[in-house]
Amino acid sequence: MPWGHAAFGYVLYSLGHRFVTREPPNGPLVVLALLFGTQLPDLVDKTLSWGLNLFPQGYSVAHSVFVAVPIGLLVLGATASDRRDIGIAFTLGYWSHLLGDAILAVPKLGVSPSDRLLWPVVTLPPYQSEVTLIGRVTQVISAFFGEVLTTEQLVFLALYSIPYLLVFALWLVDGAPGVAHFLRADDS
């Protein structure tokens, strides 16, 4: 889900930034670049698959390490030295998305974590039923609201939200980068 990729990317970026600079991340452009990077693979591949039916699966071009690594290196190389943090944030966000997808594939039987990352060398089988963008969004929303009201799902949701609360706390400890910049602008 988008928020999972955003949270995972933020944790990696924040902790990495603190490790290297001893300071929390800062600046709205850095946070936007990170957020965009964490979402880019799905924005591209899900649109190509679900929306345009160009690929049988939502893991293709933008999820491929053969595309992601050169794009990340190109962004890092093309970023001006005084804006390097923006290029690093985007690249880390993009690559964290791929890492997250690989990690999520580990517990699935018959699925190699690298299968989603090796397009066009490895192509995943088509979805078992036709998937459209509107149909998939409707399916996710209806499943969420249809199941969230059961006791089991409420317990699962409460436990599942703990990592997100920890990421939110880390973001607050970091000084709410992105939002804090705009709040300071209103005070002046």
Side-chain angles (χ1 to χ4, degrees):
M1 292 296 185
W3 47 86
H5 286 298
F8 184 56
Y10 185 80
V11 167
L12 292 178
Y13 182 78
S14 175
L15 297 178
H17 191 274
R18 285 177 173 278
F19 180 76
V20 172
T21 68
R22 306 287 187 235
E23 296 176 9
N26 194 8
L29 293 179
V30 170
V31 174
L32 286 173
L34 177 67
L35 182 61
F36 181 67
T38 64
Q39 304 308 307
L40 183 64
D42 283 344
L43 290 172
V44 172
D45 287 347
K46 302 311 188 220
T47 302
L48 292 175
S49 174
W50 303 346
L52 300 174
N53 295 314
L54 295 176
F55 293 100
Q57 263 286 342
Y59 301 97
S60 58
V61 178
H63 282 82
S64 175
V65 294
F66 303 116
V67 173
V69 170
I71 286 177
L73 294 174
L74 182 68
V75 167
L76 289 172
T79 308
S81 61
D82 63 331
R83 306 303 285 184
R84 181 88 48 217
D85 54 341
I86 294 171
I88 291 170
F90 168 80
T91 301
L92 185 101
Y94 188 173
W95 292 353
S96 75
H97 182 111
L98 304 184
L99 177 62
D101 280 352
I103 291 170
L104 289 175
V106 169
K108 295 182 180 180
L109 295 176
V111 177
S112 168
S114 63
D115 285 354
R116 296 177 175 183
L117 311 178
L118 295 176
W119 180 92
V121 175
V122 174
T123 56
L124 295 173
Y127 291 114
Q128 292 181 358
S129 61
E130 185 177 332
V131 179
T132 64
L133 185 58
I134 299 297
R136 182 67 174 143
V137 169
T138 303
Q139 180 185 22
V140 168
I141 291 171
S142 65
F144 176 77
F145 285 111
E147 295 176 5
V148 78
L149 300 178
T150 67
T151 304
E152 296 85 13
Q153 287 298 324
L154 288 173
V155 169
F156 174 78
L157 191 60
L159 293 173
Y160 188 71
S161 64
I162 292 170
Y164 292 105
L165 292 173
L166 294 173
V167 172
F168 182 70
L170 175 62
W171 179 72
L172 289 176
V173 168
D174 286 347
V179 174
H181 174 79
F182 293 110
L183 294 176
R184 282 191 300 266
D186 285 345
D187 290 343
S188 24

